[in-house]
Amino acid sequence: MILNYVELENIRSYKHAKIEFPKGITLFEGDIGSGKSTVLMAIEFALFGLGSQKPDSLLSKKATEGNVILNFEVEKKTYEIKRKLKRRGDLISQDSKSCHLVSDGEMEPLSASELKQRILQILRFNEPASANSESRIYRYAVFTPQEEMKKVLSESKMRLETIRKAFGMEDYKTAAENAKIIISTLKTEIAIYKERFSNVAEQKKSLEKSTGEEMKESHEISELMKQLTTQEKHESLAHKSVVEARKKQKEKDKIEFEKDNIGKTLTKSKSNHKSILEEIEEKEQEIEDANDRIIKLEKISKPTSKNILQIDEEIIDIEKLNTRLTNVKSKIDTTVDDLSKLSKKLGSYNDSKTEKLQTQLVELNNLLTRLNNQHKEVEDEIIEKEKEKAGLEERKRNLESKIKDVSNLGSKCPICENTLTAEHIKNLEIERREKLQETIDSIKKIQNEIGEKSNKKGNLRKQILDKESVRSKIESVLPILQQQEEKNEQLRQSQLELRGLDAKKVIPEEKSFPNNGKFNNSLAYMKALRDALLEFVNAKNRIEYEKNTKVKTEDQLKKIKEKNELLVQEISVLEGKLNDVSKSLSDIGNIDDVLRKSEKDEENIRDKIEALKEDLSARKERTKNLKDEIERIRKEISNSEKAQEKYEKFSNCNDWLKEFFIPTLEQVEKQVLRSIQHSFNSIYQNWFSVLIDDPTKQSRIDEDFTPLVEQDGYEQNIEYLSGGEKTSIALSYRLTLNSMIRQETESLKSNLLILDEPTDGFSKTQLSKVRTVLQQLQSQQIILVSHEKELETYVDNIFYISKDGGNSHVFRKNA
Ligand SMILES: Nc1ncnc2c1ncn2[C@@H]1O[C@H](COP(=O)(O)OP(=O)(O)OP(=O)(O)O)[C@@H](O)[C@H]1O
Ligand SMILES: [Mg+2]
């Protein structure tokens, strides 16, 4: 592989840079952190993707996307790879859509992982193409990152694995493992096939047995077939007899059927004849009965000359008269009842005369007016006397007071102021006492008069009350008396009407329908007369009807008699036919027994045939089974034989793999590894001697490809070597690997080597040895990164990398 150019866009400290790689030895120099290693990282990223690198360590912090384009040549073919990184939020990943590979001008749109696979294929690196691991072969043989240079000394397991992979040693291991897998599969198969043919001898024996049985059965079948043919002939003859007997039996059935029909018709005709005779008798009886009924009906005579309408009118009149009579009687009863109640109410006034009571009432009123006037007069007089009496009592009280005043008088008159004497006072008292007595007497007299007048007034009052009571009695009695008089008049009228109505209640009588004391009222008589008239009318109609019916019955009787004659003829014909049919039947004889026997014979033969067929079918089935069994055993034997063949073939294979192939592989692997190790060791020792010029120290590569160092003939631990020595051993190892792989791998032949700070810890003298190394390498293209100015003189091309404002720039120093 030869690198043509690399183009970086937003990668770490690069905004944009395109570096064209010349052939020969190229040195990239520049300050710490200027961007040297970035170029190498970009190349690895373009080839194999991220591997173990973090995307964050590749994409420029300032950018959201960046890409690397790498143009290179392998076996005279030009390729260009492009890979792109994209930032989405905090996540950075490869943009698979923007990846591609152009091989010899032809675009291959590949995803990120497909791209890696394709590159491994182009470079012919025998490695897995897992996305998150770097190419170990590239890392060991072509380019090792700055910090990982010395890891080759410590990681022995990984180193050996890589060497095995790089030199295709894994293929032997894989082949041996695959062979073991095949052996284990073969073992199972061998066991299975062995089992499958283990009972071939038994199978052959049972084949012999089944074949013998099958032959025996076939012989039996041919014997049975012969018997079957004979029996089938017998069956055909027996069947003929049965058919003939059945034909005769059918004929017999037909005649019997006919006989049966004639018999039935005859029975029916006889039965009809009997019924007709009964019918004739019935009809004759009906005619006789009708004659009797007509004679009876003609005896009924007409009861009256009136018609029904007239009788009905008379009945209505009688019913009206009866209703009126009932009403009048009921009215009389009600009036008598009312009069008895009125009489109770009137009591002593019962049957009094109204006029007399009215006169008595006028007189009473006059008397009461008089008594009331007298009562008023006495009352006024009493009031006058009371007034008079009150004046006298007032006077009495004055006089009593004056008498009291006399005893209290002094010697002087209080009025005239004259001198009063005892006598004068005495006289005055006597005078006054006399006047008082007079007044008391007058009061007594008036009181007596008042008493008398009061008695008179009481008497008058009593008389007035008595008279008023009499008056009110008369006043209350008067209207009742009037009612009584009216009722009496009504009663008289009703009784008069009743007498009139009774006179009309005479029972009528027709001459041709005498009463003879049967009916006690005219209504009953008239109704009976009406019924008798109706009976007469009905009898007339009935006679008509009976006569008509009789004519009809006579007609029917005539027809039935004609029918009877025909039936008698028919019966005689049928009896003749029956005789003929019976004769035919006796001619045929007992065909049933003949048929039964023929059928029995046929059935017996058929049973025999059936048994033969069953036997045959069973034997055929058995033969078929035997044939199937023979076929099955044959197949089994064939399978067993095939299995035996396979068993032998697989056993040979198994033996070959186990006994020959795997041991041979191991030997070849050992031989090849030994040869590689031999070459490896000699190349390594060469590089070691170039880089370390110390005769006391020797180094070699052991069987496990581990670098060993001897100091003065003693083995020395690599850990205790100086930094420069370690760098030298590591560089020697890597240079060896590079040389070896270039020899082995066509794609890398005499090609590329990339070294990032390979001279860390080297002395000036050692640095001068790098020149020899570079010359001896004879690589078409070596890319060297170093800040050792000294190296400038050993190289063909110098690139200077500087960083300005955080952005890296590449300049070519010599052109
Ligand atoms: N993702 C990134 N974005 C921007 N710059 C980055 C990023 N990652 C690393 N850098 C910076 O890029 C610069 C270049 O790094 P690089 O490893 O190429 O330096 P160098 O020249 O090899 O230095 P040295 O001589 O020390 O090995 C450094 O300053 C580094 O810190
Ligand atoms: Mg660096």
Side-chain angles (χ1 to χ4, degrees), residues 611-806:
L612 278 170
K613 277 183 179 169
E614 260 177 40
D615 196 4
L616 256 173
S617 151
R619 283 181 190 281
K620 275 181 183 168
E621 179 68 23
R622 211 172 306 139
T623 313
K624 190 184 167 281
N625 290 343
L626 280 167
K627 276 182 178 159
D628 289 351
E629 177 71 3
I630 290 164
E631 185 58 31
R632 187 185 62 76
I633 299 169
R634 276 191 183 136
K635 259 188 198 156
E636 271 181 15
I637 291 171
S638 154
N639 285 341
S640 295
E641 283 167 353
K642 276 182 197 158
Q644 195 169 5
E645 264 172 42
K646 282 235 169 112
Y647 166 79
E648 279 158 14
K649 197 173 155 190
F650 285 177
S651 294
N652 288 341
C653 259
N654 184 51
D655 293 348
W656 182 82
L657 286 170
K658 219 158 111 186
E659 312 286 330
F660 177 73
F661 184 69
I662 295 172
T664 311
L665 267 182
E666 279 166 9
Q667 271 183 6
V668 170
E669 188 191 349
K670 266 186 201 157
Q671 287 262 313
V672 172
L673 205 60
R674 205 174 299 138
S675 133
I676 290 169
Q677 190 263 342
H678 197 260
S679 309
F680 200 99
N681 185 38
S682 71
I683 296 168
Y684 170 79
Q685 282 182 336
N686 175 46
W687 290 128
F688 183 81
S689 64
V690 171
L691 287 167
I692 295 178
D693 190 14
D694 183 349
T696 64
K697 279 199 171 65
Q698 258 147 32
S699 184
R700 66 179 172 88
I701 297 296
D702 72 1
E703 296 79 38
D704 296 330
F705 289 80
T706 308
L708 297 174
V709 177
E710 279 177 17
Q711 171 80 51
D712 296 323
Y714 296 99
E715 200 170 290
Q716 195 178 33
N717 194 328
I718 284 177
E719 284 299 304
Y720 304 149
L721 295 175
S722 75
E725 283 168 346
K726 277 187 204 162
T727 309
S728 300
I729 289 173
L731 185 57
S732 303
Y733 203 96
R734 288 192 178 279
L735 291 171
T736 312
L737 257 172
N738 180 260
S739 311
M740 286 291 290
I741 286 171
R742 270 162 47 197
Q743 274 174 29
E744 296 293 319
T745 318
E746 283 298 306
S747 57
L748 285 179
K749 218 160 228 181
S750 68
N751 274 344
L752 181 64
L753 176 66
I754 301 169
L755 295 165
D756 192 357
E757 297 288 1
T759 57
D760 182 30
F762 273 20
S763 64
K764 273 220 161 79
T765 340
Q766 263 184 312
L767 273 176
S768 65
K769 291 186 176 151
V770 173
R771 179 199 287 265
T772 325
V773 170
L774 293 173
Q775 279 169 356
Q776 280 190 13
L777 269 168
Q778 291 182 334
S779 276
Q780 253 183 310
Q781 199 175 40
I782 296 175
I783 293 165
L784 206 57
V785 169
S786 177
H787 39 267
E788 299 286 359
K789 283 271 174 201
E790 187 126 5
L791 292 178
E792 278 188 16
T793 50
Y794 314 151
V795 299
D796 306 316
N797 318 296
I798 301 165
F799 283 87
Y800 182 72
I801 301 182
S802 70
K803 201 164 72 178
D804 178 13

Side-chain angles (χ1 to χ4, degrees), residues 23-37:
K23 286 183 184 160
I25 305 164
T26 304
L27 173 69
F28 282 86
E29 59 176 26
D31 271 350
I32 293 171
S34 58
K36 305 181 292 292
S37 297

Side-chain angles (χ1 to χ4, degrees), residues 10-14 29-39 41 55-62 87 146-147 756-757 785-787 801 803 806 808:
N10 291 329
I11 299 295
R12 284 163 75 94
S13 53
Y14 288 87
E29 59 176 26
D31 271 350
I32 293 171
S34 58
K36 305 181 292 292
S37 297
T38 301
V39 177
M41 284 161 88
D56 197 29
S57 70
L58 273 176
L59 181 64
S60 168
K61 289 280 177 200
K62 291 178 255 176
R87 192 191 298 276
Q146 199 171 347
E147 305 78 26
D756 192 357
E757 297 288 1
V785 169
S786 177
H787 39 267
I801 301 182
K803 201 164 72 178
S808 294

